[in-house]
Amino acid sequence: MSSLLSLKCDSHETTGGWASALDGPYAWAYRFVTENNEQTYCTSTSCPCASGKQYYGRGLIQLTHNYNYGQAGKAIGADLINNPDLVATDPTISFKTAIWFCMTPQANNPSSYDVIIGNWRPSAADTSTSRVLGYGVITNIINGGLECGHGSDNRVADRIGFYKRYCDILGISYGNNFFFFFFKFIESAMGTT
């Protein structure tokens, strides 16, 4: 199940599908290795940005923001602050950064892995904002500020579509609590790739 959830998250970030595509929009995962909207994303002083470098989404999980490039690079032994393109051009680094993000708690966020295997338990504050154990909280960790608490939108439908497609292919249940668009996002508690 943990691999399925990882595929679901990564698929949304790299999709190239469209409504009338052969086999539907969710058959077209892993098409792009870089974010279409290239921005600098130099948002933290904890990992100073290199001159002229941008920290937009790259790789399997579309790693974004200088602080994620800095922390991931330190963890895997690669200078991603000065060489952010390695996440898109080196398949090993791309996989390592995706695994790093899945396995590593950041700030007040649990790791996605801890949520998947049941090591994370929602606090009273989490429960009061509808963040409960299940698929939806993974998205809250990865991209909560952009996708949670805003009602249904295309990003939400896209993530759910990939998740349901993979469950259907594998013949397994969708499980509970995968609707995350009603979560009340609290930035200090949940993050963004």
Side-chain angles (χ1 to χ4, degrees):
M1 183 59 115
S2 62
S3 296
L4 175 63
L5 289 171
S6 295
L7 281 172
K8 171 281 313 175
C9 290
D10 298 344
S11 295
H12 165 76
E13 301 294 344
T14 60
T15 185
W18 60 97
S20 61
L22 181 63
D23 292 330
Y26 307 118
W28 293 83
Y30 298 105
R31 178 155 186 232
F32 298 109
V33 295
T34 61
E35 181 179 352
N36 289 331
N37 184 16
E38 295 180 6
Q39 296 182 31
T40 300
Y41 293 112
C42 187
T43 55
S44 173
T45 57
S46 66
C47 295
C49 298
S51 178
K53 300 297 180 181
Q54 294 181 302
Y55 304 97
Y56 54 83
R58 293 178 179 88
L60 285 173
I61 198 154
Q62 296 289 279
L63 192 69
T64 307
H65 295 278
N66 62 310
Y67 55 87
N68 281 323
Y69 278 84
Q71 292 172 21
K74 183 176 181 183
I76 68 170
D79 182 1
L80 300 180
I81 288 292
N82 288 303
N83 302 295
D85 285 329
L86 288 175
V87 179
T89 61
D90 184 318
T92 301
I93 288 178
S94 182
F95 272 94
K96 283 181 176 182
T97 58
I99 292 167
W100 169 83
F101 192 87
C102 183
M103 301 299 291
T104 305
Q106 297 180 31
N108 294 324
N109 301 340
S111 72
S112 296
Y113 182 74
D114 281 340
V115 172
I116 292 165
I117 65 168
N119 283 348
W120 174 80
R121 296 285 182 237
S123 67
D126 291 317
T127 303
S128 74
T129 60
S130 301
R131 283 189 306 269
V132 295
L133 196 58
Y135 166 85
V137 79
I138 302 293
T139 295
N140 200 284
I141 292 167
I142 293 172
N143 237 11
L146 299 174
E147 297 178 27
C148 296
H150 308 292
S152 185
D153 68 19
N154 290 339
R155 296 167 296 192
V156 171
D158 198 44
R159 284 196 194 271
I160 291 171
F162 277 111
Y163 176 73
K164 291 170 89 175
R165 175 177 166 77
Y166 293 137
C167 287
D168 290 346
I169 288 170
L170 296 172
I172 60 175
S173 166
Y174 301 148
N176 298 320
N177 305 318
F178 64 89
F179 293 103
F180 46 89
F181 40 80
F182 297 115
F183 289 175
K184 294 178 182 127
F185 176 72
I186 301 172
E187 189 168 349
S188 63
M190 297 290 177
T192 302
T193 50

